Amino acid sequence: MDGMGDAVLVGAVLVGARPLEPDDVVAVARNDAPVALAPSAEQAIEASARVIEALAGDDTPHYGVSTGFGALATRHIPPDRRVALQHGLIRSHAAGSGPEVEREVVRALMLLRLATLATGRTGVRLSTARAYAGMLNAGITPVVHEYGSLGCSGDLAPLAHCALALTGEGRVTDALGNVGDASDALAEAGLTPVALREKEGLALINGTDGMLGQLLLAAADLRRLLRTADLTAAMSVEALLGTDAVFAADLQALRPHPGQAASASNLRSVLASSGIMASHRDPHACTRVQDAYSLRCAPQVHGAARDTLAHASAVASRELASAVDNPVVTVDGRVESNGNFHGAPVGYVLDFLAIAVADVASMSERRTDRMLDVARSHGLPPFLSHDAGVDSGYMIAQYTQAAVVSELKRLAAPASVDSIPSSAMQEDHVSMGWSAARKLRRAIDGLTRVLAIELLTAARALDLRAPLTPAPATAAVVARLRESAPGPGPDRYLAPEIESAVALVTSGAAIAAAETTTGPLA
């Protein structure tokens, strides 16, 4: 059994009919959506497999078909050793080390590798591509390790661990979360281990799928987090008796960055009809001329992050339309070496996003600190405490924020500027894109926590502004938070309340609460 055959699974993501969409990758990686090869993809796969089959009998050496790999590419391999060559390649390259990579990352990179196989530019047999799809559909997740990829010649070690499982070797996690031998998991799922043929080992590991998968997952999270940042910024502006006049559309249009316009629009929507804001609109009652930058410039910073994400998403879209392998089978049947496996395009934007994440988090932490400082909070109690001196309030929550922001600044240092030559100087420049992806995942988690603490703090500050009433949108968010985190009072065990706020940010429930009054936020 090859895992798919002629069956088309209901609700399956069709692979090969067109480039995958980012939502397709998220659906398979996180929600276990099934996959199916498009009929046109199966025809293209079979056509390129025939090209490789013809070259296998050729006396002329062809890289990846009848030669060694990397620095050993000059050695011609006789026909009776070529199956061993492909399996040896996979075993030797499955050399990762360190903690296990998250299941969603492995599923994303497997889907993206399948998408390249489905282009018909790799030369694998249809049975091999179907078996790879079968592993995904059976919920079999190869154990992949943190370290091993330099991001050039693709994510070799992570993909090799996946290919190793396809051949019935190595360790995997099954659909129930049990870790065991790949051979047992394949048998349990009714799948037959693949005996690799010429070129197939290379085709299964020579891609940028790990770093691209992590970029797509991070982008999905960051879209939600940037809307959340607008929401928490609005809550802080409101709680600090700031002005929303600076967010006016005509002022924002003077600097026409699209992300800035979207962010300012969100701030206006969230702050609409705020009783707190109305209480100090009278210029005779409010003596402040300008708010601090962390309040006034939120759309400029959040907008720049949005525009950075838009650039990264454009790069990801081009990668989704790519066939990354070396060598490739061209449309006219040539087998050509190339450099498309280099991860620089993806590595650069992964690093760029980590910079934006750190800056958005840094601004969030500054707003939080202002709400806790009696000298700058405009009438709020020190640290939002119930009985200052007896109670510490949210003092240490800001410490936690600061610790995360400090870590985010370290994670913002780019990985892609580094390169360590490998393979006896054949691979003398590498992208380190996988490393950029790994640190971005940590950065996304950090931003989530920073925004959650700002949300928690701003909600308490808004409660303390009573009897003044917050905007309907911010009130809805506070009410949603109060379902799991109580309002002001004496000091309590705070970590669970922070985690409640983290859950609201991660799930999108905070945004959903605001949108019950604002409608969809940008």
Side-chain angles (χ1 to χ4, degrees):
M1 182 177 178
D2 58 32
M4 185 150 49
D6 295 325
V8 176
L9 301 172
V10 176
V13 170
L14 201 59
V15 182
R18 53 165 176 76
L20 291 171
E21 296 291 338
D23 287 347
D24 294 332
V25 178
V26 173
V28 173
R30 291 180 169 165
N31 303 324
D32 291 340
V35 301
L37 289 167
S40 59
E42 295 195 340
Q43 293 168 12
I45 291 169
E46 290 181 313
S48 67
R50 288 192 292 270
V51 173
I52 297 302
E53 185 178 0
L55 291 178
D58 194 344
D59 292 334
T60 303
H62 298 279
Y63 178 65
V65 178
S66 53
T67 71
F69 309 106
L72 303 176
T74 57
R75 181 182 172 187
H76 184 260
I77 308 299
D80 63 346
R81 298 294 295 151
R82 290 177 191 166
V83 171
L85 170 72
Q86 299 298 322
H87 283 268
L89 172 72
I90 298 304
R91 293 179 184 122
S92 67
H93 284 49
S97 185
E100 291 182 22
V101 171
E102 303 85 355
R103 181 178 186 269
E104 67 175 34
V105 171
V106 179
R107 286 184 61 80
L109 74 87
M110 289 179 68
L111 172 64
L112 293 167
R113 183 71 332 216
L114 179 65
T116 285
L117 301 181
T119 64
R121 306 276 69 83
T122 70
V124 301
R125 293 166 296 160
L126 178 57
S127 59
T128 300
R130 284 177 170 173
Y132 208 74
M135 278 208 308
L136 274 171
N137 288 336
I140 296 172
T141 307
V143 172
V144 172
H145 300 279
E146 177 84 12
Y147 304 109
S149 174
L150 301 182
C152 198
S153 280
D155 295 312
L156 289 175
L159 285 163
H161 281 277
C162 296
L164 190 68
L166 185 69
T167 68
E169 299 182 28
R171 304 283 284 174
V172 301
T173 302
D174 66 18
L176 299 177
N178 303 309
V179 179
D181 292 335
S183 57
D184 295 335
L186 292 175
E188 181 69 23
L191 301 173
T192 302
V194 173
L196 301 175
R197 299 289 297 273
E198 287 88 351
K199 176 67 173 63
E200 290 189 323
L202 267 183
L204 289 168
I205 68 173
N206 213 329
T208 54
D209 310 293
M211 60 185 93
L212 176 58
Q214 290 174 90
L215 171 59
L216 291 164
L217 293 171
D221 293 337
L222 193 49
R223 288 186 190 93
R224 181 189 68 253
L225 290 175
L226 291 177
R227 291 198 300 275
T228 305
D230 292 339
L231 172 60
T232 59
M235 294 173 70
S236 295
V237 169
E238 190 176 31
L240 287 164
L241 306 183
T243 178
D244 58 355
V246 294
F247 307 138
D250 61 339
L251 295 178
Q252 301 301 317
L254 296 174
R255 197 183 193 191
H257 292 287
Q260 177 178 326
S263 177
S265 174
N266 284 346
L267 285 158
R268 292 193 303 272
S269 296
V270 172
L271 291 171
S273 303
S274 167
I276 295 175
M277 304 294 287
S279 72
H280 59 91
R281 289 196 194 281
D282 184 347
H284 300 292
C286 182
T287 59
R288 274 182 292 151
V289 177
Q290 297 183 121
D291 288 329
Y293 288 3
S294 61
L295 308 179
R296 191 178 3 142
C297 302
Q300 286 75 14
V301 173
H302 297 180
R306 284 169 173 266
D307 292 343
T308 301
L309 177 57
H311 169 60
S313 297
V315 171
S317 293
R318 291 191 284 271
E319 289 289 313
L320 286 170
S322 302
V324 177
D325 192 14
N326 182 49
V328 292
V329 181
T330 64
V331 176
D332 59 1
R334 301 178 346 266
V335 177
E336 299 283 0
S337 292
N338 66 90
N340 285 332
F341 49 74
H342 199 290
V346 184
Y348 289 174
V349 295
L350 287 162
D351 281 334
F352 198 179
L353 287 177
I355 293 170
V357 164
D359 203 33
V360 171
S362 179
M363 183 174 256
S364 171
E365 182 275 329
R366 288 293 79 206
R367 291 189 296 263
T368 301
D369 183 66
R370 295 188 78 82
M371 287 183 281
L372 302 180
D373 184 352
V374 68
R376 295 178 292 146
S377 67
H378 305 289
L380 293 170
F383 304 105
L384 307 185
S385 58
H386 178 71
D387 183 1
V390 175
D391 294 315
S392 297
Y394 283 0
M395 179 192 297
I396 307 303
Q398 185 266 334
Y399 285 33
T400 300
Q401 256 193 335
V404 175
V405 170
S406 181
E407 172 70 5
L408 292 178
K409 292 174 183 178
R410 291 189 290 273
L411 292 172
S416 58
V417 297
D418 188 26
S419 178
I420 298 178
S422 57
S423 193
M425 291 298 284
Q426 175 70 10
E427 300 168 7
D428 59 349
H429 185 277
V430 297
S431 77
M432 297 297 180
W434 173 273
S435 299
R438 298 306 295 162
K439 68 185 184 64
L440 179 59
R441 280 186 69 84
R442 291 192 290 275
I444 291 290
D445 178 73
L447 176 59
T448 301
R449 297 177 185 282
V450 168
L451 293 176
I453 292 173
E454 182 182 11
L455 187 151
L456 189 72
T457 304
R460 185 165 184 148
L462 289 172
D463 283 341
L464 291 170
R465 290 295 184 193
L468 298 176
T469 57
T474 57
V477 176
V478 174
R480 180 67 180 82
L481 176 65
R482 292 291 169 252
E483 294 176 13
S484 55
D491 282 351
R492 299 182 295 265
Y493 177 28
L494 198 52
E497 296 184 21
I498 292 174
E499 291 308 307
S500 292
V502 168
L504 292 187
V505 172
T506 301
S507 67
I511 294 172
E515 289 180 335
T516 60
T517 69
T518 64
L521 294 172

